[in-house]
Amino acid sequence: MPTIQEVMSRDVQHVSPEDSVHRAAQIMKEFNIGSLPVVDGDKLVGMITDRDITVRSTAAGKAPETSRVGDAMSTEVRTCYATQSVDDVLTQMGDVQIRRVPVVDQQSHSLVGIVSLGDMATKQTSGIGQALQEISSPTDGAAKAK
């Protein structure tokens, strides 16, 4: 059974809570990604997504150059360990409908990588289809909003 360390990306772009929202958006544009881990030192303290920037910063009328990542980021972040099985993490991703998970060191909880459905798909990991279906299914709230 493959483990996360076999499929994760180790070279992870990240920002600090003190960086500007503008800087986070620039990194997202440069690397064509929609989310960034937020680290303080080497500890993972949150994630910021393009949606966080739009909803918590831009829609609130905050200037991107002066608004801080720490004010717009999500602090409740699902993580996994490099030694966990791919199947276990895929199940977790499906359960909470997320497409990428930061990988942290089991002892220090420092950021060591990130794993996405794309990483797993390019490594031809089994279980991707079921996880993608669960992640892409609308939640009860989303279905009611339509």
Side-chain angles (χ1 to χ4, degrees):
M1 178 177 309
T3 61
I4 292 301
Q5 64 193 357
E6 297 171 50
V7 297
M8 72 183 199
S9 298
R10 295 176 190 277
D11 186 25
V12 182
Q13 298 300 314
H14 62 275
V15 291
S16 90
E18 297 305 313
D19 283 331
S20 70
V21 167
H22 183 252
R23 178 68 185 131
Q26 286 177 318
I27 293 170
M28 288 179 191
K29 178 182 177 188
E30 181 180 345
F31 291 93
N32 193 29
I33 52 179
S35 66
L36 289 166
V38 181
V39 297
D40 189 3
D42 64 347
K43 297 256 189 206
L44 180 71
V45 295
M47 290 286 286
I48 188 161
T49 66
D50 47 7
R51 187 173 194 286
D52 291 332
I53 291 170
T54 301
V55 173
R56 295 181 183 157
S57 188
T58 306
K62 297 178 182 174
E65 294 83 10
T66 57
S67 181
R68 298 284 153 232
V69 166
D71 297 328
M73 71 183 190
S74 299
T75 56
E76 291 186 28
V77 179
R78 295 287 180 134
T79 62
C80 67
Y81 303 123
T83 56
Q84 279 184 266
S85 76
V86 168
D87 289 343
D88 187 32
V89 175
L90 272 173
T91 299
Q92 291 175 25
M93 292 169 86
D95 289 347
V96 292
Q97 295 188 313
I98 55 176
R99 296 177 184 269
R100 63 193 50 78
V101 178
V103 183
V104 295
D105 180 80
Q106 214 157 350
Q107 265 62 47
S108 68
H109 295 284
S110 60
L111 181 68
V112 296
I114 196 159
V115 65
S116 69
L117 283 179
D119 293 329
M120 295 178 198
T122 59
K123 302 286 197 282
Q124 299 179 336
T125 304
S126 63
I128 290 290
Q130 179 64 31
L132 184 57
Q133 184 177 18
E134 291 173 6
I135 290 166
S136 300
S137 296
T139 61
D140 289 339
K144 292 176 185 173
K146 289 186 178 178

